[in-house]
Amino acid sequence: MKSIDIREVTPFLYGHCTDEENGTGTTVIIHETGAVGGVSVQGRAPGTRETDLLKSENTVQNIHAVTLSGGSAFGLEAAGGVMNYLSERKIGFELLGNTIPIVPGAILFDFLPFSGDAWPDSSYGYEAAHQAFHRGNFASGNAGAGTGAAVGKMKGYDSAMKGGFGSCAVEVNGLKVGACIAVNAFGDIIDPETGRIIAGARENGSFLDTAKSIREMDPPDGAGGMNTTIGCITTNANITKSEANHIASAAHDGLARCIRPVHTVMDGDALFVMAGGEVDVSLLQLSALAVHVVEQAVLTAVREARGAYQLPALQELFKQE
């Protein structure tokens, strides 16, 4: 297994629209001819678009893009901008003279107390799609849907840390698997190699350990509604829609390995899958690789994040070995 840049998982295109002033943004992943799609939504506070379409029993098999966005429910509008951009380029299903792209999406809550007061609309999605086609910068950290992300919010933003956007991709015998993840979790971020918290809720200079704390006491009422980790797995694997949904579900293990607690009643964690259909694979191997790239993308998100909006970042608070 070798590590590769996420943009080497082709023919997918990847783009950000980053609004640092307002602490929000949008990320888009595009497949011009349509990829087999799947999704798994876990946690009890989701914000999604077109996920019913991705159920195995429903008609449409291929999707043309996935939109990940900040802005809470307002941010769902960003997918409309992606649709507009793709339709202008005649990417989508042709129906009665119209070009209709299929663009599922998910959002996270990033209304930070010390950022601006804007949220992604269709213009953000349009710009992210433009960046994808023009191979613009596809950074990790404070970028795209992760621009205003935070982690460790058991006691609100005063004790939280900066989250962000991360990606990871690998190649094994021609099979390519990548993950793009915007990390905005209620819980703490764990290094699965050591079991130690590397970012999360803090108090008096040390980590609170959110999972342990909520076993022993109720979290404050203000901890709700400020979370959700969202992402998309891209692969050149040849799989069915049902198998894509299985991979999306299995990939949540990657979140569970490094976010604690995960899938809470205050998170709406959602993972999409886009499969290009080029390489026949073992579903068992593909599942294992999907878990790995999701896990590593989450870690990259917090390791690459910079302190912003009065939220400290891992790279600034702690010396990284």
Side-chain angles (χ1 to χ4, degrees):
M1 180 175 71
K2 71 173 182 178
S3 296
I4 59 175
D5 187 282
I6 186 70
R7 289 168 291 186
E8 295 179 56
V9 185
T10 55
F12 298 96
L13 303 172
Y14 308 83
H16 289 314
C17 176
T18 300
D19 183 351
E20 290 195 84
E21 179 181 355
N22 291 297
T24 193
T26 297
T27 298
V28 64
I29 303 96
I30 296 169
H31 192 291
E32 294 184 67
T33 58
V36 172
V39 69
S40 176
V41 181
Q42 301 187 26
R44 296 190 65 185
T48 58
R49 164 195 163 109
E50 296 272 44
T51 50
D52 278 355
L53 175 148
L54 291 171
K55 290 180 179 178
S56 300
E57 68 270 22
N58 287 340
T59 301
V60 173
Q61 298 297 306
N62 293 340
I63 62 177
H64 301 95
V66 164
T67 304
L68 310 173
S69 190
S72 188
F74 293 107
L76 291 171
E77 185 182 345
V82 179
M83 286 191 69
N84 291 338
Y85 191 91
L86 296 183
S87 183
E88 289 174 6
R89 299 177 72 99
K90 300 299 181 184
I91 295 170
F93 293 113
E94 294 297 329
L95 184 63
L96 300 177
N98 299 300
T99 303
I100 305 174
I102 306 300
V103 184
I107 49 84
L108 53 80
F109 187 103
D110 58 359
F111 293 159
L112 297 166
F114 305 108
S115 63
D117 57 0
W119 51 77
D121 56 19
S122 61
S123 69
Y124 286 62
Y126 194 95
E127 176 62 20
H130 175 81
Q131 291 297 322
F133 273 94
H134 290 80
R135 274 67 171 184
N137 181 33
F138 196 64
S140 291
N142 301 23
T147 303
V151 300
K153 287 168 279 186
M154 186 183 75
K155 291 194 171 183
Y157 287 114
D158 288 345
S159 62
M161 288 180 62
K162 189 72 182 68
F165 175 87
S167 67
C168 173
V170 297
E171 181 176 3
V172 181
N173 298 325
L175 170 63
K176 298 178 181 180
V177 186
C180 302
I181 310 291
V183 183
N184 187 57
F186 169 76
D188 303 322
I189 308 303
I190 311 299
D191 182 343
E193 296 300 317
T194 65
R196 294 179 178 174
I197 300 170
I198 61 172
R202 300 162 298 112
E203 188 172 66
N204 299 323
S206 61
F207 290 117
L208 282 169
D209 191 332
T210 299
K212 179 181 178 182
S213 296
I214 62 176
R215 288 195 298 267
E216 297 174 352
M217 63 179 182
D218 290 333
D221 292 338
M226 304 189 295
N227 313 294
T228 296
T229 295
I230 53 178
C232 182
I233 296 138
T234 51
T235 178
N236 62 352
N238 179 23
I239 57 176
T240 66
K241 187 179 181 184
S242 176
E243 289 169 337
N245 279 302
H246 166 75
I247 296 300
S249 179
H252 278 271
D253 286 358
L255 299 184
R257 279 178 55 79
C258 50
I259 301 175
R260 190 170 66 199
V262 71
H263 306 148
T264 74
V265 296
M266 292 168 288
D267 290 276
D269 306 327
L271 293 179
F272 295 89
V273 168
M274 299 178 75
E278 300 171 2
V279 178
D280 292 333
V281 297
S282 154
L283 200 62
L284 184 63
Q285 182 184 44
L286 181 57
S287 298
L289 291 173
V291 170
H292 172 74
V293 294
V294 167
E295 168 195 303
Q296 293 302 310
V298 171
L299 296 176
T300 297
V302 296
R303 286 170 175 161
E304 294 294 321
R306 294 173 285 104
Y309 320 113
Q310 299 194 22
L311 293 167
L314 166 64
Q315 61 177 268
E316 295 152 356
L317 279 186
F318 304 101
K319 179 182 178 181
Q320 297 187 59
E321 301 298 333

